[in-house]
Amino acid sequence: MTSVDRAGRASAPLGDPSDLANPASPKPSRNPLRHSFAEDVLGVLTGTFTASLGVFLLKSSGAVTGGTAGLALLLSYVVPLPFGVVFFVLNIPFFGLALWMKGLTFTLRSIASVALLSAFSLLNPLAIVVDRLDPVYGVLAGNLLAGIGLLVLFRHRSSLGGFTILALIAQEKFGWRAGYVQMALDVAVVVCAFAVVPPLTVLLSAAGAVLLNLVLALNHRPGRYTGA
């Protein structure tokens, strides 16, 4: 059916599908569940700062943990370099793996996260003085804070590099839980700690590393979180 204007000209049929092609029609909006740039920035800052507090408690307890953070802690006990410097250097080879398997965005976010954690780790000893710290509390609280920090980073499409990148790739490619994969890798690191720290501290560190990875395994599952 067509309509006719006062000059007698026929207009387009009423309800013509071509009306839908109007360039002024609204375009699909962005996914409301996806994090904005500002949210990602704040998320990465929050995650790295929280994890740095965990590392500070671990180092204050003379303990270790898994992953490249654990390796950096071990090396910082035997070489005259601060943890933050060692941690960043150890992660450099993993940035290439992240670029190959995870893409440029993830890699840049991971580089930023590693750099921020290294910076916070240099700042924390200047701002916090610990006169006494129960080692059990320090190890458990330190690993819990580190796990929470990692969760925040995962949910903002970032990581702290190293074994975390390997764990995320294994989860995406093979469906293996990131927490369980990292737990297996962390066992090797904790075993190496026997050569550096007392045996009782190693056993306590192992319990803390299990706690950290349980936090990841129970809270980071593929497809459950949709805000990334």
Side-chain angles (χ1 to χ4, degrees):
M1 178 179 179
T2 60
S3 60
V4 180
D5 61 18
R6 294 182 178 179
R9 295 189 296 264
S11 64
L14 295 178
D16 193 318
S18 62
D19 293 341
L20 301 177
N22 187 345
S25 60
K27 297 180 180 180
S29 59
R30 68 184 295 275
N31 183 356
L33 297 178
R34 191 176 186 85
H35 289 300
S36 67
F37 176 76
E39 289 172 337
D40 282 334
V41 170
L42 290 175
V44 169
L45 286 171
T46 301
T48 51
F49 180 71
T50 303
S52 75
L53 289 178
V55 171
F56 175 77
L57 291 177
L58 289 170
K59 188 169 179 62
S60 299
S61 303
V64 297
T65 187
T68 47
L71 286 176
L73 279 172
L74 284 176
L75 291 175
S76 69
Y77 293 147
V78 297
V79 299
L81 290 174
F83 165 84
V85 175
V86 177
F87 180 66
F88 189 86
V89 172
L90 282 177
N91 270 287
I92 292 176
F94 291 96
F95 293 146
L97 177 63
L99 182 62
W100 176 44
M101 298 295 295
K102 298 286 293 179
L104 180 62
T105 299
F106 178 87
T107 303
L108 292 178
R109 290 175 189 236
S110 297
I111 292 174
S113 297
V114 170
L116 283 170
L117 178 64
S118 299
F120 285 138
S121 297
L122 294 173
L123 175 64
N124 288 335
L126 302 177
I128 306 173
V129 177
V130 178
D131 294 328
R132 177 185 176 278
L133 178 63
D134 181 82
V136 175
Y137 177 86
V139 170
L140 296 181
N143 279 284
L144 184 61
L145 285 171
I148 293 172
L150 282 171
L151 274 178
V152 175
L153 291 174
F154 288 174
R155 293 183 172 183
H156 288 272
R157 293 175 293 165
S158 184
S159 75
L160 289 178
F163 291 168
T164 302
I165 293 176
L166 293 177
L168 288 174
I169 291 174
Q171 177 170 277
E172 293 184 0
K173 297 298 182 181
F174 306 108
W176 301 345
R177 294 275 185 86
Y180 294 146
V181 173
Q182 186 150 347
M183 187 184 299
L185 296 171
D186 290 349
V187 168
V189 176
V190 173
V191 169
C192 292
F194 279 106
V196 179
V197 297
L200 288 179
T201 303
V202 174
L203 296 177
L204 183 57
S205 299
V210 170
L211 174 62
L212 185 155
N213 286 286
L214 282 176
V215 171
L216 298 181
L218 296 176
N219 293 280
H220 186 71
R221 300 186 183 184
R224 169 170 288 183
Y225 185 75
T226 57

